[in-house]
Every structure is written in structure tokens, then in C-alpha cells.
């Protein structure tokens, strides 16, 4: 599969753009485990134009993580165009337009998935950004606003006509947020549409290697995108890639190996931010990791782990967990 000449090979597996998750260190770790393409956290176009430091920092990308996309969002044509030009200066492989974020502070203000209620403006923004930059432009969106307005089949054609180079579809509506099961049937319908010539990337509930292969085989997508299943589990990319290439499940990593990667995540987060903010940032990964799933009487240790305020305190808890449960 290719995006504007960027060859991602057969069965590409992509890391989804996720706020407060896909920072540079996490992107690099996922690349190490086999992610074929990574995306930054989404960046507010308004904040970029105002030169907000936190947003400018999100534009920092390295050659080691390429190919990489920088994702922007906004609700105004001129602002999105100016932001795209700012992004172009750091030379990402792709600029991705976020028309899928469902959270209230974004969608409620008309940006992200809020654009699904104003398709003419969505298309105007897309066309204007494509015309304004030389970097390939892609879009990420959802099936529609709600169950009564699943418009993605028609919308995909119209976005393609704007000149985008690929389309990622999350198999939920905005109304669903992240609840319920992702519906891939319409993603498959978009892909089967003979008028669609751009790559179609499927997103939503890719949590196992088996499900990843099923989505390729059943719905015919050109690539899949892994999101929340990567929290505290960057090795999922290795598991998926191995299964896609061999048809066999990769032998599980040892507990010690996985815990080592979590330690590395903590250290990188702290190095990038500082101890307090780095620990706060990594808690989402620690809360979601499947590594501790099924451990008996784990509740109090879990609470302590998510309340730890220093690296030393957190790593002592890791040691205690490993010792108590005799995990190797």
C-alpha cells in the first residue's frame, strides 16, 4: 500500500494519533515494535497560529520515526490553511486532517467530529489545505454524526475529490464516542466502492492479531490503525505483524520483558517532561496495560501504582508486584 509514493508494504499497521499518548518517545517505541506509520498527537490550528509553546512542541519529529504524519484540527478555512503551512515547514511525510475527534471540547465547538454536521465546510477546508501545501494530505473521520446520519460512503467520494491521498475511517459515529463495538461494515462498503481509488485505512477495536487479519481479509482495507489497544502494550505491533506475515501467534513476551518496556516508557516520559508530569502522563498506559490483568488481589497495588509520584516509588512497586506474584 502506498500513500502518495510512500510504500508501506503489504498489510500496513499504523499507530493512531491520540492526544496525550502518541508523543515522540511512544511513537519511537511503537516503530521499534513494527508500526509501519505513526501519527503525532493532534495539534490545534488556532494554537499553532498563536504560537502556543505546547502545540509547537508537538511538531517535533525525528528521522528515526519516519514515515510520520502530523495531525491538525480546527473549524476555520483560513486558520487550517495557515496551520498546515506552518506544519509543512517541519517536513512531515503527511499532514492529516482530524475530522473524527468526538470529545466535547473539540467536536462541541465544531472541529474534529463536529465537522460531520457541516460537510460543506469540511470539504472546503480539505480542498483549501490540499491546494495550499505540497505535502500529501490525508483525512481521519468517522461513520457519521449518529446512527441516523451514517454518511461515510458518500463522504469518502467527496473527500477523495478534494485531493486527499488516503482516508482513515473509525468505525463509530460521533454519538458513540468510544462505546459499543466499531462497525466495520461501512468501512468495507467504502473500500468496495469502484469509484474509490485512494487507500482506505480502517480503525476501531483492533485489539488482537486475529482481529487485525480478519479486518484485512473481510473488509479489504489497505491498512489498519491501532489506537487504544497500544496503551501500555506497544509490543502489540510486533504481535500483529508476526501473525499477518506467518499466520502464527508470536510466543508471548515474558513478564520481565514487558515490565522492562513499561519501565522504559516511564523513563522516557520523565526525561521528556519532568518527574511529576512524566509520571502523570504515563498513568494512562499503566492503567490500561494488560500486563497486570488477572492478578489476584491486585486492587490495592494498582491504586498505589497509579498514585505513585516518583520514579523510585513506581519502580519499587513494579519490583514488589514481580516478587509477590513470582513473575518472570
Amino acid at each position: 500500500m502506498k500513500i502518495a509514493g510512500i510504500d508501506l508494504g503489504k498489510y500496513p499497521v499504523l499507530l493512531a494519533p491520540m492526544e496525550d499518548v502518541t508523543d515522540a518517545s511512544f511513537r519511537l517505541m511503537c516503530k521499534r515494535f513494527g508500526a509501519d506509520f505513526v501519527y503525532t498527537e493532534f495539534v490545534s490550528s488556532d494554537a499553532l497560529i498563536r504560537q502556543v509553546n505546547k502545540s509547537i512542541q508537538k511538531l517535533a519529529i525525528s528521522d528515526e520515526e519516519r514515515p510520520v504524519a502530523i495531525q491538525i484540527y480546527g473549524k476555520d478555512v483560513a486558520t487550517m490553511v495557515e496551520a498546515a503551512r506552518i506544519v509543512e515547514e517541519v517536513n512531515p511525510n503527511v499532514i492529516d486532517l482530524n475530522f473524527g475527534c468526538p470529545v466535547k471540547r473539540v467536536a462541541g465547538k465544531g472541529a474534529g467530529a463536529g465537522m460531520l454536521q457541516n460537510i460543506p465546510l469540511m470539504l472546503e477546508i480539505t480542498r483549501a489545505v490540499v491546494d495550499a501545501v505540497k505535502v500529501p494530505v490525508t483525512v481521519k473521520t468517522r461513520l457519521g454524526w449518529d446512527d441516523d446520519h451514517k454518511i461515510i460512503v458518500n463522504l469518502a467520494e467527496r473527500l477523495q475529490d478534494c485531493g486527499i491521498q488516503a482516508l482513515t475511517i473509525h468505525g463509530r459515529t460521533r454519538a458513540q464516542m468510544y462505546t459499543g463495538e466499531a462497525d466495520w461494515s461501512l468501512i468495507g462498503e467504502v473500500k468496495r466502492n469502484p469509484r474509490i481509488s485512494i487507500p482506505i485505512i480502517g480503525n476501531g477495536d483492533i485489539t488482537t492479531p486475529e482481529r487485525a487479519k480478519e479486518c484485512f481479509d473481510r473488509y479489504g482495507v489497505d491498512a489498519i490503525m491501532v489506537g487504544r489497544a497500544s496503551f501500555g502494550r506497544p509490543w502489540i505491533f510486533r504481535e500483529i505483524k508476526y501473525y499477518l506475515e506467518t499466520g502464527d501467534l508470536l510466543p508471548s513476551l515474558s513478564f520481565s520483558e514487558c515490565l522492562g518496556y513499561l519501565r522504559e516508557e516511564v523513563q522516557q516520559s520523565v526525561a521528556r517532561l519532568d518527574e511529576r508530569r512524566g509520571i502523570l502522563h504515563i498513568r494512562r498506559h499503566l492503567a490500561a496495560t494488560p500486563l497486570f490483568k488477572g492478578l489476584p488481589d491486585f486492587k490495592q497495588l494498582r491504586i498505589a501504582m497509579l498514585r505513585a509520584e516518583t520514579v523510585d516509588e513506581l519502580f519499587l512497586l513494579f519490583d514488589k508486584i514481580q516478587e509477590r506474584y513470582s513473575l518472570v
Side-chain angles (χ1 to χ4, degrees):
M1 190 269 275
K2 293 183 179 180
I3 298 178
I6 304 168
D7 192 347
L8 301 177
K10 189 178 182 181
Y11 297 135
V13 183
L14 286 54
L15 171 66
M18 293 175 285
E19 177 68 357
D20 290 328
V21 176
T22 52
D23 57 77
S25 58
F26 187 65
R27 297 195 302 268
L28 283 168
M29 182 167 281
C30 291
K31 287 288 288 190
R32 204 167 89 203
F33 281 108
D36 295 295
F37 199 102
V38 297
Y39 292 68
T40 65
E41 304 168 80
F42 68 6
V43 188
S44 163
S45 57
D46 288 326
L48 277 184
I49 290 172
R50 289 187 283 109
Q51 296 289 297
V52 174
N53 189 50
K54 185 177 179 181
S55 294
I56 295 297
Q57 289 175 351
K58 291 180 180 179
L59 302 187
I61 55 176
S62 65
D63 287 339
E64 290 80 12
E65 61 187 294
R66 292 183 183 277
V68 58
I70 294 177
Q71 189 187 68
I72 60 174
Y73 73 94
K75 60 178 181 178
D76 173 77
V77 176
T79 304
M80 285 287 278
V81 166
E82 187 175 348
R85 286 174 172 152
I86 293 171
V87 170
E88 186 177 31
E89 291 178 4
V90 304
N91 194 32
N93 297 93
V94 165
I95 295 175
D96 190 66
L97 307 183
N98 181 319
F99 298 139
C101 178
V103 300
K104 187 175 182 179
R105 69 181 177 86
V106 175
K109 296 179 180 178
M115 280 288 165
L116 289 164
Q117 291 189 302
N118 191 343
I119 300 304
L121 180 56
M122 179 196 289
L123 298 175
E124 185 180 358
I125 287 173
T126 304
R127 193 175 297 109
V129 171
V130 168
D131 291 343
V133 298
K134 294 183 173 63
V135 176
V137 176
T138 61
V139 162
K140 187 172 190 286
T141 190
R142 289 183 168 233
L143 302 180
W145 181 257
D146 55 29
D147 282 345
D148 295 325
H149 300 89
K150 291 183 177 180
I151 59 173
I152 191 60
V153 176
N154 176 262
L155 177 60
E157 287 190 41
R158 300 175 74 182
L159 286 167
Q160 177 178 265
D161 290 344
C162 291
I164 64 171
Q165 300 293 313
L167 174 64
T168 301
I169 305 169
H170 183 115
R172 289 181 173 88
T173 63
R174 189 273 170 175
Q176 283 181 274
M177 299 292 286
Y178 296 104
T179 62
E181 292 185 5
D183 177 8
W184 280 67
S185 61
L186 287 178
I187 301 176
E189 189 172 335
V190 170
K191 178 57 192 172
R192 290 190 299 272
N193 183 346
R195 291 183 290 276
I196 292 293
S197 58
I198 59 173
I200 300 299
I201 303 161
N203 175 222
D205 295 347
I206 301 289
T207 59
T208 66
E210 296 94 329
R211 178 59 176 163
K213 188 173 190 309
E214 179 187 8
C215 289
F216 274 115
D217 294 347
R218 184 173 180 182
Y219 303 104
V221 292
D222 298 285
I224 58 168
M225 183 176 280
V226 178
R228 289 173 293 162
S230 67
F231 290 7
R233 188 188 172 190
W235 52 86
I236 190 175
F237 291 96
R238 179 182 291 174
E239 295 170 345
I240 290 174
K241 294 294 289 186
Y242 186 86
Y243 188 78
L244 291 173
E245 291 167 4
T246 69
D248 297 321
L249 290 172
L250 186 69
S252 298
L253 294 171
S254 70
F255 184 90
S256 293
E257 287 176 305
C258 294
L259 193 60
Y261 293 129
L262 290 185
R263 288 180 192 268
E264 190 176 338
E265 280 196 58
V266 172
Q267 291 167 330
Q268 290 176 345
S269 182
V270 167
R272 186 177 64 89
L273 300 167
D274 55 48
E275 189 164 50
R276 185 186 66 83
R277 290 184 300 156
I279 293 290
L280 288 173
H281 174 79
I282 210 66
R283 282 178 180 170
R284 180 177 299 190
H285 292 268
L286 297 179
T289 182
L291 188 58
F292 308 120
K293 187 176 181 180
L295 296 180
D297 302 317
F298 187 69
K299 183 177 180 180
Q300 291 307 314
L301 277 172
R302 185 178 189 275
I303 292 171
M305 186 174 63
L306 298 180
R307 287 179 177 173
E309 296 182 351
T310 68
V311 173
D312 287 345
E313 183 183 355
L314 184 56
F315 284 4
L316 281 172
L317 284 166
F318 284 177
D319 293 339
K320 185 175 182 179
I321 292 166
Q322 194 162 12
E323 182 180 347
R324 172 180 291 187
Y325 295 99
S326 302
L327 296 166
V328 294

